[in-house]
Amino acid sequence: MSSQKNITRETIIRKGAELIHLHGFHSTGLQDILTSAGIPKGSFYFYFKNKEDFGLAVIDYITVFVKSGFEKFLNDENIDPIARLEKLISFFEAVYKKNNYRLGCPLGNLSLELADDSEKFREKLNFSIESIVGVIEKFLRNAKQAGSIDQDIDTHEASNFIFHGFEGAVLHMKVMKNGEPLKLFRNYLFNYLQISSADKSRNKGA
Amino acid sequence: MSSQKNITRETIIRKGAELIHLHGFHSTGLQDILTSAGIPKGSFYFYFKNKEDFGLAVIDYITVFVKSGFEKFLNDENIDPIARLEKLISFFEAVYKKNNYRLGCPLGNLSLELADDSEKFREKLNFSIESIVGVIEKFLRNAKQAGSIDQDIDTHEASNFIFHGFEGAVLHMKVMKNGEPLKLFRNYLFNYLQISSADKSRNKGA
């Protein structure tokens, strides 16, 4: 594949991911994606075998984006593990607030829309979620080792708990159109990990 | 509205809800719904102003269905609160297993698909979720009063926690196509409520 073809393909994926985040996969037309990417109409099949092939590339693109975001915050060794988790949640709260609590999590949206559509979609989404839950689990193992969370925490269970609670809270947020579900998520998460954010802030100030 | 018209309308809603659960709202055609309901083609607008009006009626129908299911289990005063919660989760595990872990939660699916579509959809979905979270919260207040859960549990926070964790676990299940996420949900839920299912079973046997 020529370099120019690669760049054009990546532009279509990036612009397509934006439109899919707005409208969903099935409601996003191929021509709308090409128009948004500034690519001549009708050239979609020059870059992708079919719409599923394109959808799989979009899921890969989103996965790298989301996973690197999680890693950026959770692997930041300059601050203690709990502060990293707080910064990650604050980051999501700010992003969702900026979007007026619309759109939600691109992977969550595509999971519910596409998991039953084809085995290829399901496998790709499963790999995507597993890799993100894996980043959380690795973080929790380190946090446990550092004594930052309850030593009885099962890191496999807790990493799934965080992923499920977050996806559920974002779903609820999309319907409520305010930050309350994410605030509740923050509260019960730190309660679950047996570290109270509020207590911690007070200790910092003491 | 005549009684026959009411019955026909309800048939369309019921059959429509089934198709939407399978394919999503936007991917379900009006004619497919009428065909499935055995109603003459083209008569959709005799029963509904537009597709949104129909969608709102479907959300109402699903809400009554889901809410009454939650109430049936959680208000069963013949057994103790924790056993009710366990029976509710076991019920969902059995239903999802029977469906080969496809479809997922109809309200979760429609929340992610429609919350940004129109203010009417958003309000209806918000009311729906609030009423189900309300059933859980009422149950938790009673469970707390009965001494069945940790007395420090914030029932508002915990009812949201249960809803979020459940929706996230069902999303994960739909992608994994096995019961593992619901099993994890069960574990961290009872851990959060500070009641170990396993310990409880052992105590029963003792």
Side-chain angles (χ1 to χ4, degrees), chain B residues 130-155:
Chain B
E130 287 310 304
S131 63
I132 289 160
V133 172
V135 171
I136 303 171
E137 187 167 355
K138 190 182 159 200
F139 159 76
L140 289 173
R141 277 201 305 268
N142 292 339
K144 195 171 165 179
Q145 208 162 20
S148 302
I149 57 170
D150 179 2
Q151 295 301 301
D152 291 333
I153 286 281
D154 176 322
T155 56

Short mmCIF file of all heavy atoms in Angstrom, two decimals, chain B residues 130-155:
data_model
loop_
_atom_site.label_atom_id
_atom_site.label_comp_id
_atom_site.label_asym_id
_atom_site.label_seq_id
_atom_site.Cartn_x
_atom_site.Cartn_y
_atom_site.Cartn_z
N GLU B 130 -35.07 5.93 35.69
CA GLU B 130 -35.31 6.41 37.06
C GLU B 130 -36.32 5.53 37.79
O GLU B 130 -36.19 5.28 38.99
CB GLU B 130 -35.79 7.87 37.04
CG GLU B 130 -34.70 8.88 36.71
CD GLU B 130 -33.44 8.70 37.56
OE1 GLU B 130 -33.53 8.73 38.79
OE2 GLU B 130 -32.35 8.49 36.96
N SER B 131 -37.34 5.06 37.06
CA SER B 131 -38.36 4.25 37.74
C SER B 131 -37.80 2.88 38.14
O SER B 131 -38.14 2.34 39.19
CB SER B 131 -39.63 4.14 36.90
OG SER B 131 -39.37 3.48 35.70
N ILE B 132 -36.89 2.34 37.31
CA ILE B 132 -36.29 1.04 37.65
C ILE B 132 -35.27 1.20 38.79
O ILE B 132 -35.25 0.41 39.73
CB ILE B 132 -35.68 0.38 36.39
CG1 ILE B 132 -36.84 -0.08 35.49
CG2 ILE B 132 -34.78 -0.79 36.75
CD1 ILE B 132 -36.48 -0.30 34.07
N VAL B 133 -34.45 2.26 38.70
CA VAL B 133 -33.50 2.53 39.80
C VAL B 133 -34.29 2.79 41.09
O VAL B 133 -33.86 2.38 42.18
CB VAL B 133 -32.58 3.74 39.44
CG1 VAL B 133 -31.73 4.16 40.63
CG2 VAL B 133 -31.67 3.39 38.25
N GLY B 134 -35.46 3.41 40.96
CA GLY B 134 -36.32 3.67 42.11
C GLY B 134 -36.80 2.39 42.79
O GLY B 134 -36.84 2.31 44.02
N VAL B 135 -37.13 1.38 41.99
CA VAL B 135 -37.54 0.08 42.54
C VAL B 135 -36.37 -0.53 43.33
O VAL B 135 -36.55 -1.06 44.42
CB VAL B 135 -37.99 -0.88 41.41
CG1 VAL B 135 -38.21 -2.30 41.96
CG2 VAL B 135 -39.26 -0.37 40.75
N ILE B 136 -35.17 -0.43 42.76
CA ILE B 136 -33.98 -0.98 43.43
C ILE B 136 -33.71 -0.22 44.73
O ILE B 136 -33.42 -0.82 45.77
CB ILE B 136 -32.73 -0.92 42.50
CG1 ILE B 136 -32.99 -1.66 41.18
CG2 ILE B 136 -31.51 -1.50 43.21
CD1 ILE B 136 -31.89 -1.47 40.13
N GLU B 137 -33.84 1.11 44.68
CA GLU B 137 -33.55 1.92 45.87
C GLU B 137 -34.54 1.59 47.00
O GLU B 137 -34.13 1.46 48.17
CB GLU B 137 -33.60 3.42 45.53
CG GLU B 137 -33.15 4.27 46.71
CD GLU B 137 -32.88 5.73 46.37
OE1 GLU B 137 -32.96 6.10 45.18
OE2 GLU B 137 -32.60 6.50 47.30
N LYS B 138 -35.81 1.44 46.65
CA LYS B 138 -36.83 1.11 47.66
C LYS B 138 -36.49 -0.26 48.30
O LYS B 138 -36.56 -0.43 49.51
CB LYS B 138 -38.21 1.06 46.98
CG LYS B 138 -39.37 0.96 47.95
CD LYS B 138 -40.70 0.87 47.20
CE LYS B 138 -41.77 0.26 48.10
NZ LYS B 138 -42.89 -0.28 47.31
N PHE B 139 -36.10 -1.19 47.43
CA PHE B 139 -35.70 -2.52 47.91
C PHE B 139 -34.52 -2.42 48.88
O PHE B 139 -34.51 -3.06 49.94
CB PHE B 139 -35.36 -3.42 46.72
CG PHE B 139 -34.48 -4.58 47.07
CD1 PHE B 139 -35.02 -5.69 47.71
CD2 PHE B 139 -33.13 -4.57 46.78
CE1 PHE B 139 -34.21 -6.77 48.06
CE2 PHE B 139 -32.32 -5.64 47.12
CZ PHE B 139 -32.86 -6.74 47.76
N LEU B 140 -33.52 -1.61 48.51
CA LEU B 140 -32.32 -1.49 49.35
C LEU B 140 -32.64 -0.84 50.70
O LEU B 140 -32.07 -1.21 51.73
CB LEU B 140 -31.23 -0.68 48.62
CG LEU B 140 -30.55 -1.38 47.43
CD1 LEU B 140 -29.63 -0.41 46.71
CD2 LEU B 140 -29.76 -2.62 47.87
N ARG B 141 -33.57 0.13 50.68
CA ARG B 141 -33.97 0.77 51.95
C ARG B 141 -34.59 -0.28 52.89
O ARG B 141 -34.27 -0.33 54.07
CB ARG B 141 -34.97 1.90 51.69
CG ARG B 141 -34.31 3.23 51.31
CD ARG B 141 -35.23 4.43 51.55
NE ARG B 141 -36.52 4.29 50.87
CZ ARG B 141 -36.79 4.74 49.64
NH1 ARG B 141 -35.85 5.36 48.95
NH2 ARG B 141 -37.98 4.57 49.10
N ASN B 142 -35.44 -1.13 52.30
CA ASN B 142 -36.06 -2.20 53.10
C ASN B 142 -35.01 -3.21 53.58
O ASN B 142 -35.06 -3.66 54.72
CB ASN B 142 -37.14 -2.93 52.29
CG ASN B 142 -38.34 -2.03 52.02
OD1 ASN B 142 -38.55 -1.04 52.72
ND2 ASN B 142 -39.13 -2.36 51.00
N ALA B 143 -34.07 -3.54 52.68
CA ALA B 143 -33.03 -4.51 53.02
C ALA B 143 -32.14 -3.97 54.14
O ALA B 143 -31.71 -4.71 55.03
CB ALA B 143 -32.18 -4.83 51.79
N LYS B 144 -31.90 -2.67 54.09
CA LYS B 144 -31.07 -2.02 55.11
C LYS B 144 -31.81 -2.03 56.45
O LYS B 144 -31.22 -2.37 57.49
CB LYS B 144 -30.78 -0.58 54.67
CG LYS B 144 -29.67 0.11 55.41
CD LYS B 144 -29.34 1.44 54.73
CE LYS B 144 -28.51 2.33 55.64
NZ LYS B 144 -28.17 3.60 54.96
N GLN B 145 -33.10 -1.70 56.37
CA GLN B 145 -33.94 -1.69 57.57
C GLN B 145 -34.01 -3.08 58.21
O GLN B 145 -34.02 -3.22 59.43
CB GLN B 145 -35.35 -1.24 57.18
CG GLN B 145 -36.12 -0.55 58.29
CD GLN B 145 -37.29 0.25 57.73
OE1 GLN B 145 -37.74 0.01 56.61
NE2 GLN B 145 -37.79 1.21 58.50
N ALA B 146 -34.02 -4.10 57.34
CA ALA B 146 -34.10 -5.49 57.82
C ALA B 146 -32.73 -5.99 58.30
O ALA B 146 -32.60 -7.14 58.75
CB ALA B 146 -34.63 -6.39 56.71
N GLY B 147 -31.71 -5.15 58.17
CA GLY B 147 -30.37 -5.55 58.60
C GLY B 147 -29.69 -6.54 57.65
O GLY B 147 -28.74 -7.20 58.01
N SER B 148 -30.21 -6.61 56.41
CA SER B 148 -29.66 -7.59 55.45
C SER B 148 -28.44 -7.09 54.70
O SER B 148 -27.73 -7.88 54.08
CB SER B 148 -30.73 -7.97 54.43
OG SER B 148 -31.85 -8.50 55.08
N ILE B 149 -28.24 -5.76 54.70
CA ILE B 149 -27.05 -5.22 54.03
C ILE B 149 -26.34 -4.27 55.01
O ILE B 149 -26.93 -3.82 56.00
CB ILE B 149 -27.39 -4.47 52.71
CG1 ILE B 149 -28.40 -3.33 52.97
CG2 ILE B 149 -27.92 -5.43 51.65
CD1 ILE B 149 -28.59 -2.41 51.77
N ASP B 150 -25.10 -3.98 54.67
CA ASP B 150 -24.28 -3.06 55.46
C ASP B 150 -25.06 -1.78 55.78
O ASP B 150 -25.60 -1.14 54.89
CB ASP B 150 -23.01 -2.76 54.64
CG ASP B 150 -22.07 -1.79 55.32
OD1 ASP B 150 -22.36 -1.37 56.45
OD2 ASP B 150 -21.03 -1.46 54.71
N GLN B 151 -25.10 -1.40 57.05
CA GLN B 151 -25.85 -0.22 57.47
C GLN B 151 -25.25 1.09 56.97
O GLN B 151 -25.92 2.13 57.00
CB GLN B 151 -25.97 -0.19 59.01
CG GLN B 151 -26.79 -1.36 59.57
CD GLN B 151 -28.21 -1.40 59.03
OE1 GLN B 151 -28.96 -0.45 59.19
NE2 GLN B 151 -28.59 -2.47 58.33
N ASP B 152 -23.99 1.04 56.50
CA ASP B 152 -23.36 2.27 55.99
C ASP B 152 -23.67 2.50 54.51
O ASP B 152 -23.27 3.51 53.94
CB ASP B 152 -21.83 2.20 56.16
CG ASP B 152 -21.44 2.27 57.64
OD1 ASP B 152 -22.21 2.87 58.42
OD2 ASP B 152 -20.38 1.73 57.99
N ILE B 153 -24.34 1.54 53.88
CA ILE B 153 -24.65 1.66 52.45
C ILE B 153 -25.55 2.88 52.21
O ILE B 153 -26.56 3.05 52.89
CB ILE B 153 -25.36 0.37 51.94
CG1 ILE B 153 -24.37 -0.79 51.83
CG2 ILE B 153 -26.11 0.60 50.62
CD1 ILE B 153 -23.49 -0.79 50.60
N ASP B 154 -25.14 3.70 51.25
CA ASP B 154 -25.98 4.81 50.79
C ASP B 154 -26.90 4.22 49.72
O ASP B 154 -26.45 3.83 48.65
CB ASP B 154 -25.05 5.90 50.21
CG ASP B 154 -25.81 7.07 49.60
OD1 ASP B 154 -26.88 6.85 48.97
OD2 ASP B 154 -25.33 8.20 49.72
N THR B 155 -28.19 4.14 50.02
CA THR B 155 -29.10 3.39 49.13
C THR B 155 -29.26 4.07 47.76
O THR B 155 -29.48 3.39 46.76
CB THR B 155 -30.48 3.17 49.77
OG1 THR B 155 -31.03 4.44 50.14
CG2 THR B 155 -30.38 2.28 51.00
#
